[in-house]
Amino acid sequence: MVLSVSDLSVARGGIPVLEGVSLRLGPGEALVLRGPNGIGKTTMLRTVAGLQPPLSGAIEAAPESLVYAGHADGIKATLTVEENLSFWAQVFGSKDVSAAVDAFDLDPLRRRPAGALSAGQKRRLGLARLLVTGRTIWVLDEPTVSLDVDAVAMFAGAVRAHLAEGGAALIATHIDLRIPEARIFDLAPYRAAPLGLDDFDGAFL
Amino acid sequence: MNLNALWAYANPKKFIETADRVLPAVAWLAALMLAAGLIWGFFFTPDDFRQGSTVKIIYLHVPAALMAINAWLMMLVTSLVWIVRRHHVSALAARAAAPVGMVMTLIALATGALWGQPMWGTWWAWDPRLTSFLILFLFYLGYIALWEAIENDDTAADLTAILCLVGSVFALLSRYAVNFWNQGLHQGASLSLDKEENVADVFWYPLLVSIAGFVLLFVALVLMRTRTEIRARRMRALLARERMQA
Amino acid sequence: MRAGGGFGLGLAFFLIVVVLVPFGVGPQSALLSTIAPGILWLGALLACLLSLDRILALDWEDGSLDLLATSPLPMEGIVSVKALAHWLTTGLPLVLAAPVLGILLNLPAPGFGWLVVSLALGTPALSVIGTFGAALTVGLKRGGLLLSLLVLPLYMPTLIFGAEVARRGAEGMALGTPLALLAGITCGTIALLPFASAAVLRVNLR
């Protein structure tokens, strides 16, 4: 078991959105989170990534095993593609960026300033960052935004390769990624019921 | 008496119920004490042989200055309670106390200027005490502005609480820095406001009553404003809930 | 983290403030040399303030802060490096430019050395305190003005002791005490304030 979430409740803007979510992720497994807009997919992923505290419940993962990729890619426009990747490689204590460059076909763009990339190319660069981190659990929020069909296939290939090496992925997305290993996890049943107004702090949440 | 029983008042409902019960009594008592202290002080004490009748502004100036500092201390305590125990009412009480403290600081500054004009011949001097209060005023301003700027209540509570802690340290530093700074500039320009030690009993007793009045006034205002803040927050939460359900 | 841009503006701003002062108070060199240490300190402080909102804003906008927060780097380290970067790009150039601007304001000869010393000791505190302010206001749309309102009161002790050192230096007076206090404030803020900045940043990233 690489990631285990038990009885998790999360809040957005002080208001509970999801409650009682439990899921487990083993090596080589991927989970695709589904649910209508506003159900709390992003909130859930940010909580799992440790960016915000859960209202209740527990998240268990090996230390330093998670990597998070959100809506924004964290790309510095004035640095080249390679410098961007090298920076993150240094942060995560690895060195080699060539595998990441190859997986997302960034070789022709290596020396180009990231500010000159198209939206889809930036996204590819943002996803390539996952590979240089060397982390086992990928927590991805809408990774395919602004990617074309070829690039989505590229991404699916990268995820499958990651899973084949014993990695795991937790992905929130609306489109079909064509990753046969992935299970679908629907969040709709976990929508939080409002707290009673007479609870201790109930009036505030 | 068990101190833990105090935490029950962190329940917003319990707090509002209690505030509703005690508020009229506190408010009336505050009005009574204030009226008694000020009337006694203004009309039934003799003029000071050096300062004349201007000395009587002491009955506004000293209590206001005391409460200006006490309000910040209260914010410091309630901020700590929020950080440690996460009681929303505590954070809201800090928010409620800030404008009251700021007004007290303003009163202290304004009455000080009015007093200083006939005594020292100037409305304002960069005396360490005056300067410290001006700085305190700026701290209140920043604290209140931060509360107003942040939409999410919990985020605002967290950030202002940390600002209050850091600000307290820097306010204290500024106090000593200012003392040092002015000594270095004007030797012997000692415009000490320390009248408490040498003030005679005829001035002292009405001053005590007036101080008690200001304390009660502060308690009443903070209770009332905290109650309002709780209701406002509750309303925001209900509106947000409605948006979620829609 | 690197490649922010716009930091050279601080230096230009410092120059303009110093050039404007004689227009405001008149060209008498005696008056100018009296107020020179204070004006130079105030100008440096304001120039420092100008670039504070750039410390974290870019990384907030492009999502790097989220990613850095989930990286193995401790948040305290990140804010410390940010403050260091701000000092290198803003504080250090101000320290180096101050003597040149001192000539414009007719700073007395013994004052130059102490001006540089006081600024070199004081500006790191300005950067660290500024980073705390930037962390407080990072998510806000109109954070710039609020940032100034929050940070300026916190700058007061540093300004008082820093300007005191520069002034006493220019007048040839003993300045051991304010120098020690200035150094104390700088060391204290560098050691302790990053914890507050990191806590604040974590709250803002929620």
Side-chain angles (χ1 to χ4, degrees):
Chain A
M1 197 58 45
V2 290
L3 174 70
S4 141
V5 169
S6 42
D7 206 19
L8 181 72
S9 298
V10 300
R12 180 180 58 223
I15 298 158
V17 284
L18 290 168
E19 61 187 5
V21 181
S22 296
L23 54 85
R24 326 187 113 241
L25 210 53
E29 287 183 338
L31 210 54
V32 172
L33 296 181
R34 285 280 161 81
N37 286 332
I39 184 110
K41 294 190 290 291
T42 298
T43 311
M44 161 104 183
L45 291 183
R46 287 179 73 86
T47 309
V48 171
L51 281 168
Q52 66 178 67
L55 270 187
S56 63
I59 301 158
E60 284 163 47
E64 311 232 319
S65 64
L66 274 164
V67 59
Y68 168 80
H71 294 223
D73 292 314
I75 293 169
K76 293 293 162 211
T78 50
L79 300 183
T80 66
V81 167
E82 191 166 8
E83 284 167 343
N84 264 301
L85 284 176
S86 307
F87 169 69
W88 288 109
Q90 276 171 21
V91 167
F92 284 88
S94 61
K95 280 213 166 64
D96 188 33
V97 299
S98 56
V101 169
D102 292 340
F104 285 91
D105 196 20
L106 291 167
D107 201 40
L109 307 170
R110 256 184 126 113
R111 311 237 167 272
R112 194 180 296 180
L117 298 182
S118 75
Q121 288 168 331
K122 275 186 191 157
R123 194 77 222 188
R124 266 154 62 196
L125 172 55
L127 293 171
R129 186 185 65 89
L130 296 169
L131 289 171
V132 307
T133 62
R135 296 264 167 120
T136 45
I137 309 170
W138 291 1
V139 178
L140 310 178
D141 193 4
E142 299 285 2
T144 57
V145 170
S146 68
L147 289 184
D148 60 17
V149 180
D150 288 346
V152 171
M154 224 181 272
F155 166 68
V159 173
R160 295 187 66 182
H162 178 62
L163 297 180
E165 288 170 10
L170 185 61
I171 308 171
T173 182
H174 287 288
I175 67 161
D176 183 9
L177 292 171
R178 297 183 195 284
I179 302 173
E181 297 91 331
R183 286 177 290 142
I184 304 283
F185 189 89
D186 193 2
L187 282 175
Y190 300 100
R191 191 192 285 271
L195 272 163
L197 284 175
D198 294 325
D199 279 9
F200 188 82
D201 271 341
F204 285 163
L205 295 171
Chain B
M1 161 139 175
N2 185 357
L3 256 182
N4 274 324
L6 210 62
W7 298 121
Y9 295 97
N11 181 334
K13 272 186 78 173
K14 179 95 192 268
F15 181 91
I16 287 191
E17 278 167 17
T18 315
D20 282 343
R21 250 202 332 272
V22 301
L23 197 51
V26 177
W28 276 112
L29 205 58
L32 209 71
M33 295 287 257
L34 268 180
L38 292 182
I39 292 173
W40 184 2
F42 282 150
F43 300 110
F44 298 99
T45 57
D47 288 354
D48 185 82
F49 75 97
R50 267 180 303 135
Q51 306 202 14
S53 59
T54 45
V55 73
K56 293 183 174 178
I57 206 162
I58 198 177
Y59 303 112
L60 282 172
H61 181 76
V62 169
L66 270 177
M67 291 325 291
I69 294 169
N70 286 349
W72 187 275
L73 287 180
M74 182 209 133
M75 280 156 56
L76 181 62
V77 171
T78 46
S79 294
L80 275 171
V81 170
W82 161 249
I83 289 176
V84 176
R85 302 210 38 151
R86 314 298 293 174
H87 289 318
H88 290 91
V89 170
S90 185
L92 292 175
R95 180 180 191 167
V100 183
M102 189 176 78
V103 170
M104 291 294 178
T105 315
L106 260 185
I107 293 176
L109 282 170
T111 52
L114 285 177
W115 194 3
Q117 215 288 323
M119 286 303 103
W120 313 330
T122 172
W123 297 101
W124 181 262
W126 289 95
D127 168 84
R129 285 220 177 182
L130 301 191
T131 314
S132 302
F133 265 78
L134 199 60
I135 295 173
L136 183 63
F137 180 71
L138 293 179
F139 274 99
Y140 273 120
L141 217 60
Y143 178 87
I144 294 169
L146 189 63
W147 260 114
E148 296 303 321
I150 301 166
E151 257 171 61
N152 184 310
D153 286 300
D154 280 358
T155 307
D158 278 331
L159 296 186
T160 51
I162 297 175
L163 178 67
C164 186
L165 299 191
V166 173
S168 302
V169 175
F170 276 86
L172 217 60
L173 273 176
S174 301
R175 175 93 177 87
Y176 287 109
V178 161
N179 269 336
F180 177 84
W181 160 78
N182 200 341
Q183 277 180 6
L185 258 188
H186 311 291
Q187 283 298 326
S190 59
L191 304 170
S192 169
L193 297 177
D194 268 323
K195 290 276 174 284
E196 283 95 309
E197 288 88 345
N198 49 16
V199 89
D201 280 358
V202 272
F203 301 120
W204 181 236
Y205 289 121
L207 183 60
L208 273 185
V209 176
S210 189
I211 289 174
F214 265 79
V215 171
L216 287 167
L217 175 70
F218 175 77
V219 171
L221 285 174
V222 169
L223 275 179
M224 195 163 71
R225 290 184 47 85
T226 308
R227 195 176 63 178
T228 313
E229 291 291 348
I230 291 173
R231 286 178 177 152
R233 161 122 201 202
R234 192 185 172 103
M235 206 154 76
R236 281 195 295 277
L238 288 174
L239 281 174
R241 237 182 233 211
E242 228 162 67
R243 271 200 305 275
M244 296 268 298
Q245 248 98 60
Chain C
M1 188 157 267
R2 288 85 258 248
F7 283 109
L9 282 175
L11 210 52
F13 181 81
F14 190 24
L15 174 70
I16 291 173
V17 168
V18 169
V19 168
L20 285 181
V21 166
F23 296 138
V25 302
Q28 307 90 332
S29 47
L31 174 63
L32 283 179
S33 61
T34 320
I35 60 171
I39 296 294
L40 287 167
W41 246 93
L42 202 57
L45 184 143
L46 292 176
C48 210
L49 193 69
L50 200 66
S51 51
L52 287 183
D53 61 334
R54 309 292 288 173
I55 295 180
L56 296 167
L58 286 175
D59 290 319
W60 168 269
E61 280 161 22
D62 67 18
S64 309
L65 272 183
D66 279 351
L67 305 180
L68 283 169
T70 52
S71 79
L73 301 177
M75 196 66 104
E76 287 79 7
I78 294 170
V79 291
S80 298
V81 171
K82 284 286 177 192
L84 178 67
H86 179 260
W87 185 73
L88 287 175
T89 52
T90 309
L92 192 58
L94 291 175
V95 175
L96 299 176
V100 182
L101 299 179
I103 297 172
L104 289 181
L105 290 181
N106 206 18
L107 186 70
F112 282 91
W114 290 115
L115 177 71
V116 172
V117 168
S118 67
L119 280 173
L121 260 179
T123 44
L126 299 185
S127 288
V128 174
I129 297 169
T131 307
F132 173 67
L136 272 177
T137 55
V138 71
L140 299 172
K141 284 189 191 69
R142 287 161 282 110
L145 195 62
L146 181 64
L147 177 60
S148 314
L149 186 61
L150 295 177
V151 165
L152 281 177
L154 302 179
Y155 273 179
M156 254 172 241
T158 313
L159 173 65
I160 289 174
F161 291 125
E164 188 75 16
V165 170
R167 185 167 50 225
R168 290 187 179 197
E171 291 169 7
M173 291 156 67
L175 42 66
T177 319
L179 194 66
L181 289 168
L182 179 67
I185 286 180
T186 301
C187 294
T189 48
I190 291 176
L192 298 176
L193 212 51
F195 293 99
S197 310
V200 160
L201 207 50
R202 277 194 210 99
V203 171
N204 262 328
L205 285 174
R206 285 205 299 245

